[in-house]
Amino acid sequence: DTAVSQTPKYLVTQMGNDKSIKCEQNLGHDTMYWYKQDSKKFLKIMFSYNNKELIINETVPNRFSPKSPDKAHLNLHINSLELGDSAVYFCASSQGTGTSGPGTQYFGPGTRLLVL
Amino acid sequence: AQSVTQLDSQVPVFEEAPVELRCNYSSSVSVYLFWYVQYPNQGLQLLLKYLSGSTLVKGINGFEAEFNKSQTSFHLRKPSVHISDTAEYFCAVSGGTDKLIFGTGTRLQVFP
């Protein structure tokens, strides 16, 4: 069974379109994340949710809107796509930070977004 | 605030040779350190982590890392690499929250 899954795996679209990426985890974790990896492999956190509540919201354009219908799902909606949005988007989940420190984050396979 | 520096963007090495991937961090608070591996076209997978206790941490696939507080380093080592270790390796730091700050990655290329 896949622990963290994302759909779609590939997404090619035109500038100005709106698109969504879905993420689901079956690990029973409370915390989920979205990361962006650019063409130079640099990985940066965008958002994190804990039990459907937004915890981390980095300086991301407000065209990006995460939505967590329940703690097993965290979707990412992107409005008015721009060329610079082309990247690989990773979803991750963890048990969150406890008394012994941050929990291990488990990553999905990634969604490769190409904006033309 | 925390930051991570991975000093080598690429490390070429022959199969069965030892390897060290370097990672230095800065933090104004206690640190928790991680090494992740990313195989081509895949997500990241945890190799090992330092939360507390012994400064020598052993991980999967024969990797280990040593937390050195005085040198603010967390270098990753493997005594004998295999072709299948070819991948991108990321060092990451947390100041005690869920927010991980990643380094820019080191591409390990193992040659036969």
Side-chain angles (χ1 to χ4, degrees), chain A residues 13-56:
Chain A
T13 188
Q14 300 285 335
M15 255 191 335
N17 284 350
D18 302 338
K19 290 293 177 186
S20 291
I21 307 172
K22 295 185 176 182
C23 177
E24 177 181 2
Q25 55 97 2
N26 63 6
L27 297 168
H29 288 161
D30 292 331
T31 307
M32 296 185 72
Y33 312 80
W34 276 111
Y35 286 87
K36 179 180 180 180
Q37 186 175 47
D38 64 22
S39 58
K40 295 184 179 178
K41 301 281 189 179
F42 182 60
L43 195 68
K44 190 165 194 274
I45 190 165
M46 300 171 70
F47 304 102
S48 90
Y49 269 73
N50 179 275
N51 270 324
K52 303 194 296 176
E53 183 183 344
L54 181 64
I55 301 297
I56 296 173

Side-chain angles (χ1 to χ4, degrees), chain A residues 55-114:
Chain A
I55 301 297
I56 296 173
N57 186 352
E58 291 295 290
T59 50
V60 176
N62 57 15
R63 298 182 293 104
F64 290 79
S65 52
K67 284 189 172 55
S68 182
D70 55 62
K71 74 174 193 176
H73 296 84
L74 180 62
N75 304 323
L76 183 66
H77 189 76
I78 316 171
N79 288 328
S80 302
L81 278 154
E82 299 178 357
L83 294 177
D85 297 332
S86 295
V88 183
Y89 292 84
F90 287 100
C91 178
S93 74
S94 77
Q95 203 56 277
T97 296
T99 53
S100 58
T104 297
Q105 293 187 21
Y106 294 82
F107 285 75
T111 295
R112 283 144 188 84
L113 171 65
L114 178 60

Side-chain angles (χ1 to χ4, degrees), chain B residues 17-67:
Chain B
V19 71
E20 178 180 83
L21 305 183
R22 297 182 292 169
C23 172
N24 286 89
Y25 68 89
S26 69
S27 177
S28 56
V29 296
S30 297
V31 290
Y32 303 88
L33 294 154
F34 305 79
W35 275 100
Y36 279 84
V37 60
Q38 184 179 26
Y39 298 105
N41 297 315
Q42 293 186 29
L44 279 73
Q45 178 184 1
L46 182 73
L47 274 178
L48 48 79
K49 61 184 176 183
Y50 171 79
L51 300 182
S52 65
S54 173
T55 57
L56 183 62
V57 180
K58 293 191 184 296
I60 62 171
N61 300 342
F63 284 93
E64 64 180 33
E66 184 150 23
F67 171 57

Side-chain angles (χ1 to χ4, degrees), chain B residues 48-95:
Chain B
L48 48 79
K49 61 184 176 183
Y50 171 79
L51 300 182
S52 65
S54 173
T55 57
L56 183 62
V57 180
K58 293 191 184 296
I60 62 171
N61 300 342
F63 284 93
E64 64 180 33
E66 184 150 23
F67 171 57
N68 188 320
K69 190 173 181 180
S70 63
Q71 296 188 4
T72 61
S73 68
F74 190 55
H75 300 333
L76 181 71
R77 301 184 184 98
K78 185 169 181 177
S80 174
V81 294
H82 191 267
I83 293 282
S84 60
D85 292 322
T86 294
E88 194 86 23
Y89 291 78
F90 292 93
C91 182
V93 64
S94 163

